[in-house]
Amino acid sequence: MKTTILQKPASFYDEFTQKGGAQLANTHYCPGCGHGILHKLIAEAVSDFGIQDKTVLISPVGCSVFAYYYFDVGNIQAAHGRAPAVATGYKRSNPESIVISYQGDGDLAAIGANEILQAANRGEQMTVFFVNNAIYGMTGGQMAPTTLIGQKSTTTPRGRTMQNEGYPLRMAEIIATLEAPVYVERVMMTDPKNIARTRKAVRKALKIQMEKKGFSFVEVLSGCPTGLKMTPVNTKNWITDVLSKYFEPGVKKDESEDREPIITLHPDPHFEEYHELLDIRSLSDKVKGVKLSAVKEMVDEIKIAGFGGQGVLSLGYALANIAMGHNYKVSWLPSYGPEMRGGTANCSVKISDKRISSPMIDNPTVLVAMNKPSLQKFVDDVQPGGVILYDSGLIDEAPKRNDVTVIGIPATAEADKLGSTKAANMVMLGAYAKIRGYLSNDYVKQALPLIIKNKSFHKLNEDAFKRGMELVKNS
Ligand SMILES: Cc1ncc(C[n+]2csc(CCOP(=O)(O)OP(=O)(O)O)c2C)c(N)n1
């Protein structure tokens, strides 16, 4: 005997738990809303295709923002309109994943219109489900780019006019004109027959991605009784009789049979090649005859902060370049205040024997503070066991931390003695090199003039670097 088991697809959570712990008996969607049906069709397909553990759903801003309450897959919630950009990043760095960009019409066709066009035009390997309910649902029924001429909304109370708001955008047709997309179809979720068509389209779009054939886009005409201010039954009839006359359902483009799988060109970055392309080898090519010691296992996270004009950014830049010349992986992330000179500036430098995934630093291992506001700002962030180098000539109060090494370096005063305040940053570089001990002095001597090219600084910087090293010795 055949048994039919009616149950939620495994790609849905057993229980829908909201932020804060409250359980949803069903979904947060209004009666007659299409999101719930489409969620179910997607979840069933994901389960049936066995791709739950590699599917990542990017939810938008809009009523479907909470898709992550329901889908037991990888979930990322993107800023308004940016789901295709997030999907692009995720997919490119995880080519074996299945990435779904799920978006409403306000999200996709208004604030995110450029985003979706560019992703489609690049032929990103993703599946887009576009819920067109002809209105901004979540925010209370404002006009969307898909609102029909004559249709009333809270922002077009007398009805949308061509003269004021232009014509409704047919996104499926627009995207179908592009070269790259493989498959574009519009469906509607009004009755069992059309829901079955939607189911087929959902599956096809996901299959195309599983077969690595490229970009697919399914526009789904869907009800929003609350935003449209109609009963669920009237909404369904309105979609059939009115909405679908302007947005005609059907396949707008289908090249799925003709396309070959696209093999991602460089799934893993080829660093050697990037060095050449970006000309970041030049330093190591030009520094000659220096024997470098072996790269040691380490992660140094250095925050350098001070006034704009003190050279904090160039100090970080020089350090990152020199460490890169020593075959470490590095990142340099400058952060400018609103003003360049006189305002505050800081930069984050990471130096590691391993690849660096993010250039951000929350808890530095070394803080170089060139003025008092910078010290105050970052002093508590330094990791226990870390080091604080501060300009003891400019900062009258030593940092109060017992769990880190604190070294006062009168960098500015010493630079003045050598001939220019501007070399204070190089005094600090010398101090850093001394405390860490992994940089070759000979290398630094040759590298500095290549990084800071102005000839009048060459001798000064060399002297300042040396002075910084001595000051640590003597401190
Ligand atoms: C940058 C930004 N602008 C505006 C908003 C406010 N906002 C939230 S949802 C939404 C519209 C969503 O409409 P739609 O994409 O059609 O989705 P629906 O709610 O109808 O499913 C807007 C404008 C926001 N969250 N972020």
Side-chain angles (χ1 to χ4, degrees), residues 110-179:
I111 193 167
N114 182 45
E115 215 80 52
I116 189 66
L117 286 180
Q118 303 296 347
N121 195 43
R122 294 191 305 267
E124 297 295 342
Q125 301 250 4
M126 65 172 77
T127 306
V128 180
F129 295 121
F130 168 45
V131 176
N132 176 357
N133 55 18
I135 207 91
Y136 280 22
M138 184 197 236
T139 39
Q142 294 86 352
M143 190 199 89
T146 48
T147 299
L148 295 178
I149 297 290
Q151 187 186 325
K152 289 187 177 158
S153 71
T154 51
T155 45
T156 53
R158 289 192 291 265
R160 178 177 185 161
T161 63
M162 180 276 288
Q163 293 85 347
N164 273 342
E165 292 90 14
Y167 291 103
L169 289 177
R170 294 186 177 101
M171 292 310 294
E173 283 80 355
I174 292 172
I175 285 170
T177 63
L178 301 172
E179 288 294 323

Side-chain angles (χ1 to χ4, degrees), residues 277-334:
L277 288 172
L278 301 173
D279 194 28
I280 50 181
R281 261 286 147 87
S282 53
L283 195 60
S284 22
D285 292 345
K286 286 176 197 152
V287 174
K288 300 267 189 275
V290 178
K291 200 165 167 340
L292 298 173
S293 39
V295 170
K296 56 176 190 170
E297 231 176 83
M298 70 163 198
V299 182
D300 215 9
E301 305 196 346
I302 307 121
K303 179 76 87 180
I304 304 163
F307 291 126
Q310 278 185 310
V312 294
L313 303 185
S314 18
L315 164 52
Y317 185 74
L319 174 57
N321 271 283
I322 290 167
M324 185 163 64
H326 284 67
N327 297 317
Y328 287 91
K329 313 274 189 264
V330 302
S331 65
W332 172 71
L333 185 71

Side-chain angles (χ1 to χ4, degrees), residues 72 128 139 142 178 212 238 242 397:
D72 186 4
V128 180
T139 39
Q142 294 86 352
L178 301 172
K212 298 187 189 295
W238 180 77
V242 183
E397 221 178 311

Side-chain angles (χ1 to χ4, degrees), residues 35 61-64 80 104-108 111 131 133 135-139 144:
H35 282 303
V61 162
C63 283
S64 50
H80 209 4
D105 46 5
D107 188 82
L108 181 141
I111 193 167
V131 176
N133 55 18
I135 207 91
Y136 280 22
M138 184 197 236
T139 39

Side-chain angles (χ1 to χ4, degrees), residues 1 13 43-44 57 60 72 74 83 101 118 121 191 199 214 239 247 258 293 295 328 343 354 367 369 386-387 456 463:
M1 193 181 72
Y13 288 115
E44 281 173 355
L57 189 133
D72 186 4
S101 181
Q118 303 296 347
N121 195 43
D191 53 89
R199 178 178 184 271
I239 296 173
F247 296 110
D258 316 325
S293 39
V295 170
Y328 287 91
K354 293 175 201 70
L367 170 65
V387 179
S456 59
D463 293 346

